[in-house]
Amino acid sequence: MARLVRVLSVLITLVCLGSYADANISIDAAKRLKADELLSDIVALQEVLAQICPDVVLDMVSPAGYPRSGKWRSLLSIYLDFKIKRMEQRLKKLWKLFTQCENSRASAGLQSCSKWKQLGHTKSGNYRVDPDGPGGASSFKVWCNMTTSPPTAVVHHDKETRTFVQGYEAPGSYKALVVYTATTSQIVALMNASKSCQQFLSWECYHAYGITTIQWWVSRGGVKMPYWAGGEPGKYKCACQKDGSCPKGRKCNCDANDEKWRADSGYLTDKSTLPVSELRFGDTGTPRLREKGYYTLGPLECTN
């Protein structure tokens, strides 16, 4: 009889332990599911942070396995509790970093217009950029034309209106200093980070000749340039010389110096000399010849 009682006691204990084990397995499965969900959120948020705040150093978390069976089963529940707590702390820290990055991104700026577009900003407008990153030129605003592919960064200035010139006879006696919405160091940083840059320049003339000798443009380094927009340094003085369309065998349209409205225009593309810092004009001061002209200088545009 005593032996029977002991056997029944052992059986009852085993049944109870089995039920307890089943309950623990169910609880542990729920904990594993929660840990997996937290891990998925952490990995996704880390990827976003690495893109929008590459300067933030992250101790990257990657998926890890859990003890599923064997002698580690008894430690599983304790391990999962510890892991979930650590993950919750990690996720909270990442959200804080994400919020800080979002708040500072507008003031610090991204590297280019393309970076802004990659993050979903597809509407053209003013965006802050920082082409050379921390330690370089300070960030600044450009107009991002998001309709081009890749986007175009546009730096405006105070001489973009078509302007009439008359009454200045001596070479370069009319002077137009160009002031941009960014500093020279900021513009150079933008051009260095851009695939290509260009700036439109036009001189519409009536009996006003002397391209590069009487009318000229000045590089950002203060150098009087020996060619006009559309031409090439050392090769072509003006665009019409390239295709052989200049009148009277001249090298520029305006050098015909006749009583006709003519124009020399095109794009300047040499990043080592851009942007235009100054424009100089003359041969518009003889009343009997009705000498005059109009100049137009477009903004600096960089594929960015």
Side-chain angles (χ1 to χ4, degrees):
M1 177 62 81
R3 179 177 295 177
L4 179 60
V5 171
R6 283 197 297 273
V7 170
L8 288 174
S9 177
V10 169
L11 288 174
I12 292 171
T13 300
L14 289 173
V15 170
C16 291
L17 286 174
S19 299
Y20 177 75
D22 289 340
N24 276 350
I25 291 172
S26 178
I27 292 171
D28 291 345
K31 288 180 180 180
R32 282 198 300 268
L33 179 61
K34 183 176 181 179
D36 289 339
E37 290 174 347
L38 284 169
L39 183 59
S40 178
D41 290 342
I42 287 171
V43 171
L45 194 51
Q46 284 177 161
E47 291 175 354
V48 173
L49 275 169
Q51 184 179 14
I52 68 173
C53 293
D55 56 321
V56 174
V57 179
L58 295 174
D59 179 19
M60 301 297 279
V61 171
S62 57
Y66 308 115
R68 303 278 176 175
S69 60
K71 62 181 180 179
W72 301 110
R73 170 69 70 184
S74 60
L75 298 176
L76 177 59
S77 184
I78 297 174
Y79 171 81
L80 287 173
D81 286 337
F82 171 76
K83 198 70 175 176
I84 287 171
K85 184 177 180 180
R86 290 291 299 273
M87 285 184 176
E88 287 174 339
Q89 292 172 346
R90 173 71 174 181
L91 192 58
K92 185 177 179 180
K93 180 181 178 180
L94 288 174
W95 272 115
K96 184 177 180 180
L97 283 173
F98 177 78
T99 302
Q100 291 173 346
C101 283
E102 282 288 284
N103 291 338
S104 64
R105 191 169 62 180
S107 59
L110 295 181
Q111 186 180 19
S112 64
C113 293
S114 293
K115 293 293 185 182
W116 281 107
K117 191 171 185 178
Q118 289 170 10
L119 292 176
H121 298 270
T122 58
K123 185 177 180 180
S124 298
N126 286 310
Y127 292 85
R128 186 169 290 277
V129 295
D130 189 8
D132 55 358
S138 58
S139 62
F140 60 103
K141 284 188 177 182
V142 297
W143 176 268
C144 288
N145 181 358
M146 299 300 192
T147 64
T148 61
S149 183
T152 303
V154 181
V155 181
H156 290 284
H157 58 77
D158 64 343
K159 298 294 187 297
E160 291 181 26
T161 304
R162 179 172 177 258
T163 303
F164 181 66
V165 179
Q166 191 174 43
Y168 298 85
E169 186 62 20
S173 54
Y174 178 94
K175 181 188 295 186
L177 297 175
V178 187
V179 179
Y180 291 86
T181 57
T183 66
T184 299
S185 60
Q186 290 170 332
I187 292 173
V188 170
L190 173 66
M191 291 194 295
N192 288 340
S194 300
K195 183 178 180 180
S196 62
C197 295
Q198 64 180 18
Q199 191 168 17
F200 178 79
L201 175 60
S202 174
W203 173 238
E204 301 167 61
C205 53
Y206 186 91
H207 220 309
Y209 83 113
I211 295 289
T212 72
T213 57
I214 298 176
Q215 344 280 354
W216 66 84
W217 65 279
V218 180
S219 71
R220 72 167 184 267
V223 177
K224 175 184 175 182
M225 301 307 294
Y227 70 100
W228 197 251
E232 292 181 27
K235 287 187 177 182
Y236 305 108
K237 189 175 178 182
C238 290
C240 67
Q241 189 182 6
K242 278 185 178 182
D243 56 26
S245 63
C246 299
K248 302 179 181 181
R250 306 293 185 177
K251 295 181 179 180
C252 296
N253 289 318
C254 288
D255 286 349
N257 198 28
D258 53 13
E259 294 182 350
K260 290 183 179 180
W261 276 106
R262 299 184 183 274
D264 287 296
S265 60
Y267 283 93
L268 300 165
T269 59
D270 183 4
K271 293 195 294 182
S272 68
T273 58
L274 288 174
V276 175
S277 66
E278 187 178 330
L279 294 171
R280 305 290 292 270
F281 299 100
D283 193 36
T284 62
T286 305
R288 66 181 178 83
L289 297 178
R290 296 179 294 169
E291 297 170 331
K292 54 199 167 191
Y294 290 90
Y295 72 83
T296 303
L297 179 65
L300 178 68
E301 303 171 290
C302 292
T303 300
N304 185 248

